[in-house]
Amino acid sequence: MGFEFLQPVNDNVLAFREELSVQTLGKKIIVHSAEEGFPELEDVKIAFIGVLDNRGQLDEQRQHVHLNYIRKEFYGLYPGNWHVNMADLGDIQPGEAISDTYYLVKTVTEQLVKQGVIPVFIGGAQDLAYAVYRGYDKLEQMVNYVNVDARFDFGKEDESMSARSFVTRMVIEEPHNLFNYSNVGYQTYFNPQEEIDLIEKLYFDAYRLGEVCKDITLAEPVFRDADFVSIDMSVVKSGDSGNIVKFMPNGFDGKEICILARYSGISDKVSSFGIFNHSDTRQESVLIAQVLWYFVEGVNFRSGEFPFGTRENYTKYIVALDEEEIVFFKSDVTDRWWIDVFSNKIGNNKVKTTALLPCSYQDYLTACNNEYPERLWKAQRKNII
């Protein structure tokens, strides 16, 4: 199956693109147009795909999805000193049933990731993230999913699929490819205590909004270990997003959400990315375009540190606790830290990629204080159970 179901970029957007400076992104991105047809992907590293289906929001205020504003804002930006090739592949139209849309998103994800292309989905409702996750089913790998969201998006087992319940489907439905789920930016008053308890029970990771805003670098190792990252735009406070349709008085500010997008891009492991649940407004489109810009910049500055090809450019630290030693590695190039999981005698290691667990300098200091790093403890539990 090819990509014949993808609709070309809107003619209005293409006309806008024609008027842009030759130095802008719009003139550097290969575009799927009705006139030129579908682009060759041989040298493409990042592919943008719109998904115009938001039925999963189950909301009376649900708006029609079109991405013209976002495309115009993004095309009009100037690139940094970038070297990767990008393509805009157009849009996936809503299928007759929402399951049809899921199938198309899954197919695009599987084919692009297999080709070494990073799909970047700009969509309607965030339940589309489930379809992206399912795109890894035939790729024979476990998936670490990071959800930047004010809510965990769990639901009851018998609840129909929606933007508020799709993570439960990731956990319970076969094939069981979900190795870890991490939430960045949750706000406690939006999440039932039973869901907070479930995060602990499953040894998943969750970082409160205030915790991340106080020190945003705490989130970096989470993204470094991710395969798929999605952003629910309602995690950004309305004062910065411009979304007053669904008013959010608290959330990340514009700078913080761009930093998190850059962390996603710079991670050597992230192979798909998505932005969902945005309002169809010019105001929010400006921010989304800049979030996309920072993700692309991150991809351009990937250092190739994960997994290690060689350990020549790393300093090894051994911390002796009461009952065992913990081995850390610090990159001499980027100053990023890892814990050597195999050295710490984790039992039935399910996936080889967990041999080196991304961590922070703070985790190293925690071990130096004779305390067990929480990230290592959770990694052990997930491998043992």
Side-chain angles (χ1 to χ4, degrees):
M1 186 176 186
F3 297 100
E4 62 276 357
F5 52 85
L6 285 167
Q7 183 181 57
V9 173
N10 183 280
D11 287 342
N12 180 265
V13 176
L14 295 176
F16 170 83
R17 175 175 175 256
E18 285 301 312
E19 301 301 318
L20 292 172
S21 161
V22 294
Q23 296 175 305
T24 59
L25 280 173
K27 288 296 180 72
K28 297 180 183 299
I29 296 174
I30 308 167
V31 175
H32 176 199
S33 66
E35 184 177 345
E36 298 292 333
F38 195 82
E40 291 290 331
L41 299 179
E42 186 176 347
D43 297 318
V44 169
K45 181 62 178 177
I46 300 171
F48 302 96
I49 306 102
V51 191
L52 308 184
D53 197 330
N54 63 357
R55 283 174 282 185
Q57 284 187 350
L58 304 177
D59 192 330
E60 292 179 0
Q61 293 180 309
R62 188 174 69 210
Q63 297 171 295
H64 173 69
V65 182
H66 75 78
L67 306 174
N68 295 352
Y69 294 152
I70 295 174
R71 281 193 165 99
K72 287 180 179 181
E73 291 293 341
F74 184 61
Y75 284 7
L77 298 177
Y78 292 88
N81 183 22
W82 296 350
H83 54 81
V84 302
N85 295 322
M86 294 171 283
D88 188 338
L89 304 186
D91 297 324
I92 295 175
Q93 292 289 326
E96 184 174 340
I98 197 166
S99 57
D100 298 324
T101 305
Y102 292 156
Y103 176 75
L104 296 179
V105 172
K106 171 185 174 179
T107 300
V108 169
T109 303
E110 180 185 322
Q111 293 191 19
L112 290 179
V113 172
K114 192 181 294 183
Q115 292 179 49
V117 179
I118 302 170
V120 175
F121 292 97
I122 310 160
Q126 203 187 10
D127 56 309
L128 297 168
Y130 173 80
V132 178
Y133 161 71
R134 280 289 162 227
Y136 288 84
D137 284 354
K138 295 181 181 178
L139 302 179
E140 298 182 354
Q141 69 171 84
M142 301 293 282
V143 178
N144 287 344
Y145 169 49
V146 175
N147 182 18
V148 184
D149 199 334
R151 295 176 170 85
F152 295 137
D153 295 326
F154 288 124
K156 306 297 182 185
E157 288 191 30
D158 57 352
E159 187 177 333
S160 61
M161 173 82 85
S162 75
R164 291 284 180 85
S165 65
F166 68 94
V167 175
T168 296
R169 297 296 185 93
M170 290 182 174
V171 174
I172 66 175
E173 290 191 354
E174 294 183 345
H176 298 300
N177 299 331
L178 186 66
F179 183 72
N180 192 36
Y181 167 75
S182 301
N183 173 284
V184 176
Y186 82 94
Q187 297 177 38
T188 306
Y189 38 72
F190 287 141
N191 298 279
Q193 186 59 46
E194 61 184 20
E195 293 187 9
I196 297 174
D197 293 341
L198 183 61
I199 289 282
E200 291 295 320
K201 181 179 178 182
L202 296 175
Y203 305 107
F204 289 158
D205 301 310
Y207 298 83
R208 288 181 66 174
L209 173 68
E211 184 182 8
V212 180
C213 291
K214 184 178 179 181
D215 181 5
I216 201 164
T217 62
L218 291 175
E220 187 276 328
V222 181
F223 292 97
R224 208 184 331 149
D225 204 30
D227 298 289
F228 168 40
V229 176
S230 73
I231 295 176
D232 180 333
M233 283 304 296
S234 63
V235 78
V236 182
K237 60 185 177 183
S238 292
D240 281 49
S241 71
N243 181 3
I244 58 173
V245 178
K246 295 180 180 177
F247 186 71
M248 294 291 286
N250 290 304
F252 289 121
D253 64 26
K255 184 177 81 169
E256 289 162 345
I257 200 66
C258 287
I259 290 172
L260 297 179
R262 193 177 191 278
Y263 284 162
S264 305
I266 209 166
S267 165
D268 294 299
K269 197 164 179 275
V270 169
S271 54
S272 57
F273 184 71
I275 298 176
F276 304 103
N277 286 356
H278 63 84
S279 64
D280 191 19
T281 64
R282 289 182 181 273
Q283 291 87 342
E284 193 170 53
S285 299
V286 177
L287 178 59
I288 291 173
Q290 293 179 12
V291 169
L292 291 171
W293 190 97
Y294 276 98
F295 176 78
V296 174
E297 184 184 61
V299 173
N300 273 272
F301 289 102
R302 288 185 174 186
S303 59
E305 288 187 319
F306 189 92
F308 294 155
T310 172
R311 297 189 180 180
E312 290 178 2
N313 296 321
Y314 301 87
T315 304
K316 183 177 182 180
Y317 294 83
I318 301 175
V319 180
L321 271 65
D322 289 339
E323 296 183 356
E324 67 177 282
E325 292 181 342
I326 299 182
V327 177
F328 291 86
F329 286 94
K330 178 190 174 186
S331 167
D332 300 333
V333 178
T334 63
D335 287 339
R336 296 191 293 186
W337 289 78
W338 285 263
I339 300 175
D340 190 335
V341 174
F342 279 163
S343 293
N344 293 291
K345 301 175 184 176
I346 288 187
N348 302 318
N349 202 284
K350 294 179 184 176
V351 280
K352 293 180 180 178
T353 52
T354 58
L356 291 159
L357 179 70
C359 68
S360 65
Y361 176 57
Q362 186 58 50
D363 290 314
Y364 169 70
L365 294 179
T366 297
C368 290
N369 289 328
N370 205 33
E371 298 175 28
Y372 215 74
E374 185 177 5
R375 283 184 63 75
L376 177 58
W377 184 82
K378 286 186 175 181
Q380 288 178 324
R381 301 281 79 72
K382 278 195 284 282
N383 277 275
I384 292 171
I385 61 175

